[in-house]
Amino acid sequence: MKDHEILERVSRGDEAALDYLYKKYYKMMTRIVLNNSGTEDEAKDVFQDALLVFWQKAISGNLVLTSKISTFIYSICLNLWRKELDRKSRHSGEMIEEATYQDIERQEKIKIVNDCINQLGDACRKILTYHYFDGLSMQDIAEKLNFANTDTAKTKKYKCKKKLDLMIKRNYTSSDFLD
Amino acid sequence: MSIRSNYNEQIEAYFNGEMQGADRLVFEGRVESDPMLKEEFVRQQEIVESLRAHRVAELKTRLNNISVETTLIGTLMQSAAFKPVVYAVTGLAVSVGAYLYLDTDAAIEYHLQGLESKNQYALETGLTVHTAPSLNYRYMHSENILPVAEEREIAKEELSKGDVPVVTQEIRFEVPEVDAGYQQDEFEAGPVVALESAKRIEEVPSVSKIDRVNIQTINSRRYDFHYRMEENRLYLYGKFNESPYEIIEINTPGAKKLFFYYDGDFFTLNKEATEITPLSKIENRKLINELDVIKSSNL
C-alpha cells in the first residue's frame, strides 16, 4: 500500500490502515526503544502512542507529509522515548510523593466518568469517541456507523452527550467538581 | 438564551476545536475569572479527557490483538537475567580466542585435544574423521619377499585374532609383497618382468611388518602446506583437495622412510616431525625417478 493511499484511508477513520501500519513498522519502530535500554513492553507502548499521534493528525486533515510515513512515525517514536527517558532520569532519585486529597478526589471523579461512559450504549460511545478523540466529521461518523445522513449523526451525538452529562450529574453534585 | 446554555455552547466550541486563536485565549481568561463557567468547564474537560482515554484504550487493545512476529532473541534480550549471560559468554569467547591466537603452544595443545576426541569418537563409532570423499590415495610399499599364499594366511590370522578393521573412506592400495622382479599388475599372472630399478630396490632390506599411516587433512589459515607426524598419523595442514596425494612408504630394517606425493612433486616426511613442519620438496632427480617408478608400478 502506498503512503498516499494509507493517508487517505486513515483520514476516513479506516482502522484497517492503522493495523497495516502497526504490522509493517513494528520491528523497525520498537528497535528504537530496544536498542536504547528499553523493554519490549516500553517499545510497544511508545510505538502505539506514536501511531495514535499520527492517526489523530491524519484524521484531522491538518497533516501535510513532507517525508515518508515511516520517517514521520519514527521521529515521533524517537521524541516520545527521549521524553520517557528524561522523565525516568528526573524521577529516579526522587521519593514518590504521597497522593494528595485532590489527587484522590480527581481519580474518583475520573472513575465515575469512565463508569458512565461504559454504561452508554455502543453506538453512543462510538459517536462520542469518534468525535472527541478522532475528530471525525459528522459526515464521516454517519458513513462509519451507517446513519442515514449527517443530520442523524448530529442529533444522535447531541442526545448521547446529554445522556452522558445526566448520568454523571446523577453521580456527582456540581459542588463535587470544584475544589 | 440562559447563561448556562451560552456557557455550554462556548465550552463545546472550545473542545471541538472550533474556537481558535484570540477567541480561545479570551475564553480561557474568562474561565479563570468566572467560577460558574469554570465549574462547567472543568466538568466538561473531565468528560472529554475520559472519552479520549477510552478511545485510546480501545485502539491500543485493537493493536495488541494484532500478531507481530517477535523473535526469540528479542524476547530473551529483554529479560534482565539473559543479557548478562550473553555478555559474559561473548566476553569469554573473545578472551579464549585472543589467548589461543596469541599463544601458539596453547593453540596446538587445544587443537591436539580436539583431534584426540575426534579420533576417539571415530574409533568408537566406526565412523571416519574424514568427512569429504577422499582424494587420499595411499600407497604402502613393502619389499617383503613372501609367497602370496603365506601372506594371505597372515592376513587371515590377523583377522581371526579379532582385529577390528577401522572403516575409513581412504582408498587403500595394499601391496603385501613386492618382488623387485615383479610389476604389480603382473603379479597375479606370474610372469617376471624386471624393472630398471630392480637392483636398487633389492639393495634395500625389507621389514616384514607394514604399519599403516593414517592421514588427516586440516584446513588451517595459519599453516599452508605443512605437516606433522604423531603416532603413525600424518596431519596435513593446508588445502590438499585440489589434486590426489599419495604416501609412499619404503621399509628398511627397523625403520621406515616416508615420502609424500602431491601435484607432481615428491616431499620428504620426517617421522620425528612432531611439530608443524613445512613440506620440503625433493630436488634430487635420481630419488625422484626412483620414487616415480615405485609410484607408477603400483598404479
Side-chain angles (χ1 to χ4, degrees), chain B residues 151 153-164 209:
Chain B
E151 169 60 22
E153 276 171 18
I154 290 167
K156 269 187 185 175
E157 274 175 26
E158 281 178 359
L159 276 175
S160 64
K161 281 175 190 170
D163 288 345
V164 181
K209 184 157 173 62

Side-chain angles (χ1 to χ4, degrees), chain B:
Chain B
M1 189 182 280
S2 70
I3 295 171
R4 187 168 285 275
S5 171
N6 190 32
Y7 281 170
N8 285 343
E9 276 180 17
Q10 288 179 329
I11 291 169
E12 186 68 16
Y14 181 88
F15 286 115
N16 284 346
E18 291 162 7
M19 194 185 280
Q20 295 291 333
D23 290 346
R24 199 172 173 87
L25 289 172
V26 169
F27 181 73
E28 283 170 358
R30 277 180 59 200
V31 167
E32 288 305 312
S33 59
D34 186 339
M36 265 182 75
L37 178 60
K38 184 165 184 177
E39 178 190 348
E40 189 59 23
F41 181 85
V42 169
R43 196 165 63 86
Q44 289 301 322
Q45 193 176 35
E46 298 272 359
I47 293 169
V48 170
E49 280 175 5
S50 294
L51 283 167
R52 285 175 179 164
H54 199 279
R55 177 65 171 149
V56 167
E58 189 183 84
L59 285 171
K60 281 198 170 186
T61 306
R62 181 190 175 92
L63 294 176
N64 280 329
N65 288 332
I66 295 171
S67 124
V68 280
E69 291 170 22
T70 47
T71 59
L72 180 63
I73 295 290
T75 312
L76 287 172
M77 281 304 279
Q78 62 176 304
S79 139
F82 187 71
K83 270 185 187 174
V85 173
V86 170
Y87 295 148
V89 168
T90 311
L92 188 68
V94 170
S95 308
V96 169
Y99 171 69
L100 292 177
Y101 182 75
L102 296 171
D103 191 333
T104 316
D105 291 341
I108 290 169
E109 185 62 32
Y110 177 75
H111 175 64
L112 290 175
Q113 282 174 10
L115 289 177
E116 196 63 39
S117 308
K118 274 187 187 174
N119 293 339
Q120 190 64 32
Y121 175 76
L123 288 169
E124 283 171 4
T125 57
L127 293 171
T128 173
V129 289
H130 299 282
T131 51
S134 228
L135 290 170
N136 185 5
Y137 301 103
R138 188 160 54 80
Y139 158 62
M140 292 197 296
H141 178 75
S142 169
E143 293 168 80
N144 290 340
I145 304 172
L146 290 170
V148 179
E150 194 180 329
E151 169 60 22
R152 283 178 181 161
E153 276 171 18
I154 290 167
K156 269 187 185 175
E157 274 175 26
E158 281 178 359
L159 276 175
S160 64
K161 281 175 190 170
D163 288 345
V164 181
V166 177
V167 180
T168 72
Q169 289 178 316
E170 297 166 352
I171 299 169
R172 185 179 172 200
F173 296 96
E174 278 199 13
V175 187
E177 61 279 327
V178 174
D179 188 303
Y182 288 80
Q183 259 192 313
Q184 183 64 25
D185 293 346
E186 294 156 344
F187 186 77
E188 296 282 347
V192 177
V193 180
L195 290 172
E196 281 182 39
S197 59
K199 278 182 185 174
R200 272 195 294 275
I201 295 169
E202 275 177 351
E203 285 164 16
V204 183
S206 65
V207 288
S208 58
K209 184 157 173 62
I210 302 167
D211 294 328
R212 286 186 59 189
V213 176
N214 291 311
I215 305 163
Q216 186 163 337
T217 54
I218 294 152
N219 276 329
S220 167
R221 278 189 289 180
R222 293 187 71 182
Y223 300 105
D224 187 30
F225 227 60
H226 284 58
Y227 77 102
R228 183 170 64 76
M229 294 292 297
E230 189 185 306
E231 293 175 357
N232 218 33
R233 181 172 283 275
L234 170 64
Y235 297 97
L236 293 169
Y237 292 80
K239 289 183 179 176
F240 289 90
N241 54 357
E242 287 171 5
S243 78
Y245 54 77
E246 294 178 34
I247 301 295
I248 299 163
E249 295 181 12
I250 296 178
N251 289 332
T252 59
K256 181 166 59 180
K257 284 189 176 177
L258 294 174
F259 298 94
F260 179 68
Y261 173 80
Y262 180 73
D263 203 19
D265 292 318
F266 290 96
F267 303 87
T268 311
L269 295 175
N270 181 3
K271 282 186 78 180
E272 306 303 318
T274 52
E275 298 291 319
I276 298 170
T277 314
L279 279 161
S280 68
K281 190 175 161 185
I282 298 171
E283 304 289 352
N284 185 335
R285 287 309 311 167
K286 277 176 72 180
L287 184 55
I288 290 169
N289 287 339
E290 281 183 24
L291 290 168
D292 222 13
V293 169
I294 294 168
K295 185 174 108 31
S296 58
S297 69
N298 288 281
L299 286 174

Side-chain angles (χ1 to χ4, degrees), chain A residues 132-150:
Chain A
Y132 286 107
F133 178 78
D134 300 85
L136 284 179
S137 66
M138 286 301 138
Q139 189 183 342
D140 286 336
I141 290 175
E143 279 173 21
K144 224 169 142 62
L145 297 177
N146 294 320
F147 294 150
N149 51 46
T150 309

